[in-house]
Amino acid sequence: MGATLRLYAALAGFSFRNHLGSWRYIMSRLGAYIFFTIIIGEFWRAIIAQGTRHFPFGIDDIIWYCGVGQLIVFASPRIFMRIEDDVLSGNIAYHLTRPVDYLELRLAEGVGGLAANLLLFMPLGFALCYFYTGAMPRGSIGYTALFIIFASLLHMMFQILAGFSGVWIHEVQMPYRIYQKFMLMLGGLEVPVSVYPAVMQYLAWATPLGLLLMLPCTAIFTPDTGQQAREAILMFGWVGVIFALMLMLYGRVRKYISLNGG
Amino acid sequence: MDILLALLSINLRTALAMRAAFLLRLAFTVFNHGFILLIWLFLFRAVPVVYGWTVWHLLMTYGLAWFAWGFVSYFAYGFKMLPRIIENGELDHFLLQPRPLLMMIAAASGEVAGIPDMMLALPVIVTAAVKIHAAWYLVLFALICATATFTAFSLAIGSLAFWVNDMQDWLLDMQYNLYIFATRPASAFGGWIKMLMFTLLPMGFISYLPVEIMRLRDPWLALEEGAGTVVIAALALIIFRRGLRHYESGNRFGVRV
């Protein structure tokens, strides 16, 4: 057990260092993150200044909201592309015969990459929002950071699910993009869910796709820590459910490849 | 011209040969773009007018950017892949052919998804044009300028690979970022963002100015749009030609069929 853990820790560590070493990739993602946070922030500044409607959030709230939402999207390593390569090339069949479990290998790599990205993006993102608004958020940064970690893990597991679906439909980009669009829409990346029609708000609350972005984003301007604690439990529950679903799908993938080959 | 048509016809036949995949791609394209559009429809439901723009103006920007994206994906896919072509030394194959270099690079291959993108963008543009009472010649002018600007932008940033290595992913990111930027309700932007819209990320010429031309019917804006498009196209050509002088063949051996 200890040796196995050390192995995965080493794999995660390798991925961590590899991510931090890819400075061009990081700079490009950071640049895009800062750019879109400011663009959407400025957009909302103009909308609120227009004064044609009262929103349940102020300009500082919405800038912090955008900063957190974009952070989850841009800090996430694109693990589905790695799985796509393995699945579509058939290399996954060779991986399955190796002593290192394929899912655990990709998870360890994903966690290592995610840790590196979050280590850079979280402090930078919070600093950007602070200097941009000139104010601390109304909500708890600690809870928001916890939500960001849960959301990133969920996002990574959904990527793995999309990657595995390629075994049957021979296409990974499409299921991933469909998932991504649901996540962006139901999560309210650029337009908060509170602006949506009631039925969409209900859908956002009822699915992990909506909660994934909505909870971390709204936590940053929700001062009620009791509510945040309850929401953290809800999100943790979804992490467990999606993890179980991922294990189940992985079992099917193994079975399918054992019978049909890669 | 014959060669260009032959290349495009081959690309089209390749795409249509896999009918099921093509239809699936079409359905996916509707979903992919339609879903994000929903977000903005919800916003315009709450705020019907954003600095003079209604939801129909937004649909027009969406349609123009979407068409331009599809055009580059299908007719100028080579520009999207330019860094990879340069880095792998595949440019040698094109340089050895006695045909217009840029045309051969652009049309060497095409992304199937470009066709449904263009097919679906057109009804969006037509519907928006009817709703905002835009003159048809202005819509056509806007479509040409938007497409030319997006194509030129792809060529310009792709050509940076003549000087900097490992640019492929960055180019795709930049192109996608420009597309995303171009589909936002730009009437709300001002200050330095507006400056950015007409310089580094020229979405101003792809979606903002075309919609403003249709909305305000100002001939000066049309002139600015035309001139801006020509300048961006010229700049892209200059960057490409300068880069070409810089080009050193790759060290890979291969045969291109």
Side-chain angles (χ1 to χ4, degrees):
Chain A
M1 186 69 181
T4 315
L5 274 180
R6 272 201 300 278
L7 170 70
Y8 292 122
L11 285 168
F14 179 74
S15 173
F16 181 89
R17 285 188 295 276
N18 195 29
H19 258 76
L20 288 183
S22 326
W23 64 270
R24 189 173 294 161
Y25 171 78
I26 287 176
M27 293 311 285
S28 147
R29 301 281 280 180
L30 261 177
Y33 164 65
I34 293 169
F35 176 71
F36 280 112
T37 302
I38 294 177
I39 288 290
I40 301 301
E42 285 303 302
F43 174 74
W44 275 103
R45 191 190 291 279
I47 295 276
I48 290 172
Q50 196 179 241
T52 47
R53 190 192 152 115
H54 176 73
F55 293 102
F57 43 79
I59 180 64
D60 289 352
D61 294 336
I62 194 73
I63 288 172
W64 276 96
Y65 177 102
C66 294
V68 170
Q70 300 285 349
L71 193 153
I72 294 167
V73 173
F74 281 102
S76 163
R78 296 169 176 174
I79 194 168
F80 75 97
M81 290 169 91
R82 193 72 184 255
I83 298 175
E84 180 184 27
D85 280 347
D86 294 333
V87 167
L88 299 187
S89 67
N91 282 345
I92 189 168
Y94 301 108
H95 278 285
L96 292 180
T97 56
R98 290 180 186 173
V100 180
D101 184 77
Y102 179 74
L103 178 63
E104 288 166 8
L105 167 74
R106 292 290 172 247
L107 269 177
E109 282 178 354
V111 167
L114 179 66
N117 284 354
L118 286 182
L119 203 68
L120 278 170
F121 276 76
M122 261 211 274
L124 272 169
F126 290 151
L128 168 75
C129 293
Y130 175 72
F131 287 114
Y132 189 22
T133 59
M136 288 299 280
R138 287 196 287 141
S140 147
I141 285 200
Y143 265 115
T144 306
L146 182 72
F147 279 127
I148 290 172
I149 293 169
F150 281 158
S152 302
L153 287 174
L154 266 175
H155 186 38
M156 196 168 74
M157 287 191 284
F158 275 117
Q159 289 191 52
I160 294 175
L161 288 177
F164 284 159
S165 68
V167 170
W168 289 277
I169 59 172
H170 308 290
E171 170 77 49
V172 171
Q173 291 282 342
M174 212 184 289
Y176 173 72
R177 298 288 168 206
I178 289 174
Y179 146 72
Q180 188 200 37
K181 294 300 175 298
F182 266 110
M183 187 255 289
L184 298 182
M185 211 255 312
L186 291 174
L189 180 69
E190 294 178 22
V191 176
V193 175
S194 55
V195 177
Y196 288 9
V199 65
M200 295 307 296
Q201 291 189 32
Y202 174 76
L203 269 179
W205 271 102
T207 61
L209 298 173
L211 295 178
L212 194 158
L213 273 177
M214 187 176 65
L215 290 187
C217 291
T218 48
I220 200 75
F221 62 81
T222 308
D224 181 355
T225 47
Q227 184 188 338
Q228 287 175 342
R230 285 190 297 276
E231 288 172 355
I233 293 169
L234 176 68
M235 204 145 177
F236 185 70
W238 274 116
V239 170
V241 170
I242 302 301
F243 187 74
L245 195 69
M246 186 181 68
L247 287 181
M248 216 165 72
L249 190 69
Y250 179 56
R252 299 238 166 161
V253 168
R254 286 180 70 104
K255 200 171 163 187
Y256 181 89
I257 290 175
S258 305
L259 291 172
N260 302 291
Chain B
M1 198 53 163
D2 289 345
I3 291 196
L4 179 65
L5 289 176
L7 279 171
L8 293 175
S9 140
I10 290 168
N11 288 344
L12 184 67
R13 269 181 283 161
T14 312
L16 294 178
M18 293 173 282
R19 250 175 241 126
F22 179 76
L23 290 174
L24 199 65
R25 185 67 73 170
L26 194 76
F28 171 64
T29 304
V30 175
F31 177 87
N32 199 21
H33 292 274
F35 230 63
I36 289 297
L37 194 55
L38 267 181
I39 298 173
W40 297 106
L41 296 184
F42 294 153
L43 177 79
F44 274 91
R45 190 178 147 270
V47 187
V49 181
V50 175
Y51 292 87
W53 280 28
T54 64
V55 72
W56 300 110
H57 295 106
L58 177 81
L59 270 180
M60 178 58 83
T61 66
Y62 219 88
L64 290 172
W66 192 1
F67 184 89
W69 173 272
F71 181 90
V72 172
S73 299
Y74 186 69
F75 290 105
Y77 188 67
F79 293 171
K80 256 184 159 179
M81 291 291 125
L82 195 54
R84 192 163 293 165
I85 291 173
I86 294 168
E87 281 158 26
N88 289 348
E90 289 168 23
L91 204 58
D92 298 2
H93 303 294
F94 296 105
L95 286 168
L96 289 172
Q97 291 169 0
R99 309 288 176 206
L101 180 62
L102 274 177
M103 185 189 86
M104 294 303 287
I105 295 172
S109 60
E111 204 174 30
V112 190
I115 302 172
D117 278 335
M118 285 184 286
M119 277 167 61
L120 294 166
L122 283 176
V124 173
I125 293 171
V126 171
T127 312
V130 169
K131 290 286 181 183
I132 62 175
H133 308 293
W136 290 107
Y137 64 90
L138 285 183
V139 175
L140 189 67
F141 174 70
L143 192 61
I144 293 169
C145 289
T147 308
T149 304
F150 199 69
T151 311
F153 177 79
S154 303
L155 175 66
I157 55 169
S159 301
L160 295 180
F162 283 115
W163 293 277
V164 189
N165 288 328
D166 199 15
M167 290 281 287
Q168 186 60 57
D169 288 344
W170 185 80
L171 178 144
L172 294 177
D173 275 351
M174 281 296 284
Q175 225 185 13
Y176 190 66
N177 290 343
L178 178 68
Y179 171 72
I180 295 286
F181 190 27
T183 52
R184 297 309 180 247
S187 57
F189 297 136
W192 65 270
I193 298 181
K194 207 162 222 169
M195 203 169 80
L196 197 72
M197 275 161 53
F198 292 101
T199 49
L200 281 180
L201 284 172
M203 66 81 92
F205 298 108
I206 296 171
S207 58
Y208 174 68
L209 262 188
V211 172
E212 288 298 85
I213 293 166
M214 290 175 216
R215 194 170 71 91
L216 304 171
R217 292 167 193 253
D218 182 348
W220 285 108
L221 286 182
L223 202 68
E224 275 178 38
E225 169 76 359
T229 306
V230 170
V231 169
I232 288 171
L235 274 176
L237 280 175
I238 291 169
I239 295 172
F240 178 75
R241 286 189 197 285
R242 288 256 167 125
L244 203 57
R245 271 188 243 155
H246 222 263
Y247 177 67
E248 288 172 6
S249 177
N251 55 5
R252 270 198 184 182
F253 288 93
V255 178
R256 188 167 179 271
V257 185

